Amino acid sequence: MACWAKLRGSSSTAFSELVSIEGRKAWSFLQEYIVVANEAFDVYFHDIIECIKALFNDPNFADFLVFAPEHHYADKDEMIRLYHEMHTGKWWWNSQKHLDRERPGATIIPVIISSDKTQVTMFRNKSAYPVYMTIGNIPKDIRRKPSRHAHVLLAYLPTTRLDHVTNKAARQRMLANLYHACVGRVLAPLAAAGINGINMRRGDGTVHRGHPLFACFAGDYPEQVLATGIKTTQCMKCDIPPDELGLATGIANWQPRDLGAVLDALCALDEGRLAFVRACANAGIKPIVHPFWEGLPFINIFESVTPDVLHQLYQGLIKHLLAWLSDACGSAEIDAQCRRLPPNHHIRIFTKGITTLSRMSGTEHNQICRFLLGIIIDTSLPHNMSSTQLLCAVRGLLDFLYLAQYPSHTSKTLVLLNEALDLFHDNKDIFIDLSIRNSFNLPKLHFTAHYTHMIQMFGTTDNYNTEYTERLHIDLAKDAYRSMNHKNEFTQMTTWLERREKPRPPEMTFCRTQTMTKHPTVKAVTMDRVVNEYGATHFNESLAHYVAKVTLPANTTVTARQLEDRAADIHIPFRTLPVFHKVKWLSADVCGHDDSLVTVDSVHARPGRSGTFASDSVAPRFDTVFVNDGTGGSLGTKGYRIAQVHVIFSIPPKAVPKLFPSTFQPPQHLAYVEWFSPFCVPNRDHGLHKVSCIIKNGERMASIIPISNIRCSTHLIPHFGPVAP
């Protein structure tokens, strides 16, 4: 390498020589021809064993790798199972027991595969078909971050459409056989390595006898259908008839797909084409010649297909739900309420409404779900029908959506997951009564019945979410395509990827913290502006009350009247004060897997500003927050109150000794807040709490509190009534 640096320049040829120096390049792309129906197709791929070794040997992962399955419990009596990482699921435990009977001392390496065709151009209709791979030994918090490079681009599959094959059925059959032939070639080394094992060295030098086993397949519904070989509109995990997909779990009668019967049907290929087609039809699959999973050890492909939160829930059921609600409540009314929502850090305001949006992304569906239930509470249904069933159905589906994304589940939360799904099924007929749906025979809806079992088998859904690999399309497919001259694409793309290297970031551990800017937004705001522009009507009285309360001698008890008298004697010795317009919270990774600070929440308190043009004007914003009264915990609303923040400020340093004794140091940052009523029992139908402003003698009740008492922001949805004003 030193010789290259001294003798060669910076040309493309010289760089190719650099990456080919022995010991410099870990692996390269291989190119082979796959012949299907007497036609040859190019497939570009890495040696999967070398990819697994590279991930296993990465020194950045050495301290975090997991090598054995574990049972975790949420209680001391070990009665409540805990599921989170992949090694806490039943699949790893069962596979380890099975493998130890044949090869004791084995270290299982769960291989997670994901495939998804993607467009690499906007107008020329060019596509790429990448296959990604990662291993379950790496914690999910690392795997889900593209910057950590825990996923490997395993292969580029052929993107041909076989337009020259005029018969549609023959073309689809040929495409399926091509897919399985290519993936089968890429995964072929797992057959022997999974049984016999291979020596693998960790980043710290420790050697394990690793057994790479195909564990999970992550993909959208078309990819799942293609990988399993079932027919469209069917469930890839059970034998439920297509006309019963909309039934609730307790009503539907289905059994898991029989892998043994499917493998027996595949063996009928030697008996002739007609016998093979009939055998596959009886087994419930398409006649695929040697599917890629046929010869892999310890695999049940129907069990390996994992839940897909992005495509099944956000881009599937939520997309359907939005269309149903538009028909039920009226597009105009839903859009009107969306436009009138107050701002919040976690809420995106759709100024043009949501019903006219097209080609919405999963992120946009996620943002809509945060306020969807709140905006339909008061809407009227046709023919004066009761909205109780509608609210319960929407609440059930949204509860299921959020419970399904828990990063950690227990036996109890899985019960809640099933109860949320049952709540939707018990009330979904409201859409039939409104003539919006005739049935609910949707494969994506039925798959939700398998979520609990899959979480128990492979851990929580963030272990195998396709949202992570969707992001990889940008780095490993689209950027690679844009880097070359569009001739002989895949040869150039693979070369570019071989040359491209990114430095690995060091590990860091930090905690979730509340932060303020070093300097105030406005250094000196007059008391008149505090009252008139910031809306802090009773600022002086509230500050005097706060000073009187915190300066009481220890273990002193006074009545409310005595405290008021004490506050009346306090003089505020300043006419201006420094004001801050925002407080932020930065994210934390308690496992030490992250490497950057991200703002996860913020609270704004600022007056409006008018400009020369209407577009230059800024509306006032005073956010609402959860305030801990001193008894609040990490879960639930007990010990918390809702308040609206009007001013975030600091007491001028010169005024501190005039207000407080020398033995007391006041908090650096305080906030003037106006209170809402305490929490009461949530509504039975939609499950949301209702709060209102506290009015005393015609005025809002206000207080001064330390900003450290603010737990997080909260979004209050106004009570619009049947028609948004």
Side-chain angles (χ1 to χ4, degrees), residues 218-234:
D220 57 14
Y221 183 72
E223 292 292 322
Q224 293 173 346
V225 168
L226 185 59
T228 55
I230 66 165
K231 297 179 180 179
T232 306
T233 74
Q234 292 184 340

Side-chain angles (χ1 to χ4, degrees), residues 609-618:
R609 184 180 71 248
S610 59
T612 306
F613 302 99
S615 58
D616 297 333
S617 300
V618 178

Side-chain angles (χ1 to χ4, degrees), residues 82 372 607:
L82 194 63
L372 182 60

